[in-house]
Each structure stands twice: as C-alpha cells, then as structure tokens.
Amino acid sequence: MKRFFDISCTLMALVLLSPLLMLLALLVWLAQGTPILFRQERPGLNGRPFTIYKFRTMTEGLDIHGNSFPDGKRLTPFGKLLRRTSLDELPELFNVIEGEMSLVGPRPLLMQYLGRYTPEQMRRHEAKPGITGWAQVNGRNAITWEDKFKLDVWYVDNRSLWLDVQIILITAWKILSREGINQPGQATMEEFRPSVGACFPEQNGIE
C-alpha cells in the first residue's frame, strides 16, 4: 500500500508541478548556470547507495587551497529562496518513481555518516529514505542530530499509511510557516559528529 500510495501521489504531483519544475530549472540555469541539478550519492534502504537529485542551491566556490568554502558562503540568494520554500527538493520525486525513496521516511544523509551511527541510530535505514519525515515535522534542522535520529527510529517502529498522510499534511504547513529550516548559527545543518564514547557499528564498506 505504501508503494502504491507513493507512486500514485508522485505521478499526480509530477503532472501538476511539471510547469513549475521547468520554470525552476530555467531559473536555476539563469541564476547559477549549470549543472541545474545537484547529484550526490546517499545511503538508502539498508544503507545501499543511490544518487539523490535536487535543484542546485550552491556555487562550486573554492579557496586558494582548492577547498570548498563553507555552506554559508556558497549558498546563493536564489538558492536560499529554494531552500526556504523546500522547492530544491522537488527533483526527489524522480527518486520516488525509481523506488529509491519514499514520500515519507528518514531523510537520506551523507555516506560518511554510516560509520558514525550507534547500532540504534543505524536502524533509521530500515525504512526507505523520504522527501519528508517525522523528524522534519518535529524540528527539521533546528533540533540536534541525536533528537533527529530518535525521531527517525520512532518512525521506523510506528510507520503506517495514516501516519504518512499526517506527516505530508504537517509538512505543507511547516513549509508555509518556514519553521526549522536552519540550525541556529548555521546555513543549513552542521556536520554530524558523534559524541565521545558512543558505541559504533562495524564499518560496512559502503563509504
């Protein structure tokens, strides 16, 4: 039922939003040039890697040593607008069609985080990653990593179609109210670094 729900809602959304998607692609190209899409390998169900699609919101700015500038310096004004409205996430609808993501689930983070999770935190990968999720409607980037992972694991243990519908409706309200977009003092969310003394699972070679 969840897969049927994902596919039917996503196809409907793609039909309704296709003019907006084309307009956004044009605006990204005019404001930031190419590439229009941001592509990055992320861990999916059971930690298997897949390529996520988003509208690009940052420049490729490098310092004199060849290192990337901090997110706050690379995030463009138009990119900030895309992030405030969550419009940069719309290309992930194609990840849902391909079966790599769900509309609702724990957000797909970075591959290097796989070796940093505790066994309990790693359980967030027992569900497909989602465009939105329980953590997103309960603080998004304004809460700590540890709280976010607890919310993700709670979703894994309590997921249902009705809960997904609730999360989607709350997400729409959160986007309109622009709550929890940034972590205080950060352009987005600071890198996840586990606390000292945390117990880690064995490295699984996915990095």
Side-chain angles (χ1 to χ4, degrees), residues 70-173:
D71 287 356
K73 289 187 177 181
R74 294 191 298 125
L75 192 60
T76 66
F78 185 63
K80 289 179 182 178
L81 174 63
L82 289 177
R83 289 197 176 206
R84 281 200 304 268
T85 56
S86 296
L87 291 173
D88 62 314
E89 309 280 358
L90 287 180
E92 292 171 30
L93 291 170
F94 294 102
N95 289 119
V96 177
I97 293 294
E98 293 172 4
E100 299 158 333
M101 292 182 65
S102 176
L103 290 176
V104 179
R107 285 293 297 163
L109 301 176
L110 300 178
M111 293 299 297
Q112 60 261 37
Y113 290 179
L114 288 177
R116 303 178 187 179
Y117 296 136
T118 65
E120 179 68 8
Q121 292 169 346
M122 190 66 185
R123 293 192 56 232
R124 67 191 304 277
H125 292 288
E126 292 176 10
K128 281 185 182 180
I131 296 178
T132 186
W134 189 237
Q136 276 58 53
V137 299
N138 284 282
R140 196 176 175 182
N141 288 335
I143 59 176
T144 66
W145 281 113
E146 288 73 18
D147 287 341
K148 183 178 293 189
F149 297 148
K150 288 177 182 177
L151 291 167
D152 287 339
V153 173
W154 184 91
Y155 172 80
V156 168
D157 291 336
N158 295 275
R159 53 192 152 163
S160 68
L161 191 58
W162 173 234
L163 179 60
D164 283 4
V165 171
Q166 289 179 291
I167 291 173
I168 289 172
L169 293 175
I170 298 171
T171 298
W173 168 250

Side-chain angles (χ1 to χ4, degrees), residues 21 24-40 51-61 74 76 78-79 82 88 91:
L21 287 166
L24 289 174
L26 176 62
L27 292 175
V28 170
W29 177 68
L30 291 174
Q32 301 170 173
T34 57
I36 293 171
L37 292 180
F38 169 78
R39 296 177 175 87
Q40 188 178 59
T51 300
I52 196 171
Y53 309 120
K54 295 186 179 186
F55 283 122
R56 191 162 64 94
T57 59
M58 295 185 182
T59 65
E60 301 296 331
R74 294 191 298 125
T76 66
F78 185 63
L82 289 177
D88 62 314

